Amino acid sequence: MRQCYIAGNWKMHKTRPQSADLAKELVAALKDGSNKYLVAPSFTNLEAVAAVIKGTNIRLGAQNCACEEEGAHTGEVSVLQLKDLGVQTIILGHSERRHSYKEDDALINKKLKLALKHGFEVILCIGELLEEREAGKANAVCETQTVQGLAGVSEAELANVVIAYEPVWAIGTGKTATPEDAEAVHAFVRGLIAKQYSQAAADKIVIQYGGSVKPDNAAELMAKENIDGALVGGASLKTETFAPIAKWNAK
Ligand code: 13P
């Protein structure tokens, strides 16, 4: 059985003390939770949050990394620096990186392979734009992003990959995919993994849903067979909204 995995992507929110305070509240709120948990603060707040969550059931995530280990890359942050801070997981291919910062599948794949080489877990985000969904291309877009994002990744390495399906039109908009629409894409992506790797790999891989996940819609989404948790943005910024999602347990 796949473990339910709930992650909070704090995006570019919160100062260091605010991040540490939220982390402290979450440590207390989730200490008896049975799911897998992660918080991903801004780079500048990783060290402060690391100190708070060390030794707890909450993992530390980064929201991005550079595609090179080190060198003349002004403004970038390396996997070596993230490892030094205690980061365990790196979110890659987020739609905000793809669309606002023009990251393409080849760049995301380069980052992903580098992160895996350094022992990180990677959450690979995929998802279609509204016009792509309306044109009936949701599966095709997710297929390209999955296949190209994972190019050159072995089945053994895939054990450290989580996929997050985040339809772009549902992110920060209050519009959630219906559980049925989300489930259809999740099942399709799991089928792709079976085709590209094996049925065993497909059965094992965790596929999170992201996009306006809130306490009142999370249970319905995560109850679906192929939805193994959530990547939460806005609702992860407060304990009152993240904890009820994170503590969901029905599988
Ligand atoms: P919202 O939950 O704010 O829609 O954000 C989702 C997201 O982008 C998580 O990575």
Side-chain angles (χ1 to χ4, degrees), residues 9 11 94 96 166 170-173 210-214 231-235:
N9 174 8
K11 305 192 180 182
H94 193 279
E96 287 145 22
E166 299 203 306
I171 296 177
T173 57
S212 297
V213 175
K214 303 279 182 280
L231 180 54
V232 186

Side-chain angles (χ1 to χ4, degrees), residues 7-11 13 91 94-96 123 125 164 166-175 208-214 230-237 245:
N9 174 8
W10 295 355
K11 305 192 180 182
H13 293 286
I91 298 172
H94 193 279
S95 70
E96 287 145 22
I123 299 179
C125 303
E166 299 203 306
V168 182
W169 48 271
I171 296 177
T173 57
K175 287 185 198 152
Q208 298 171 321
Y209 172 80
S212 297
V213 175
K214 303 279 182 280
L231 180 54
V232 186
S236 72
L237 297 172
I245 300 170

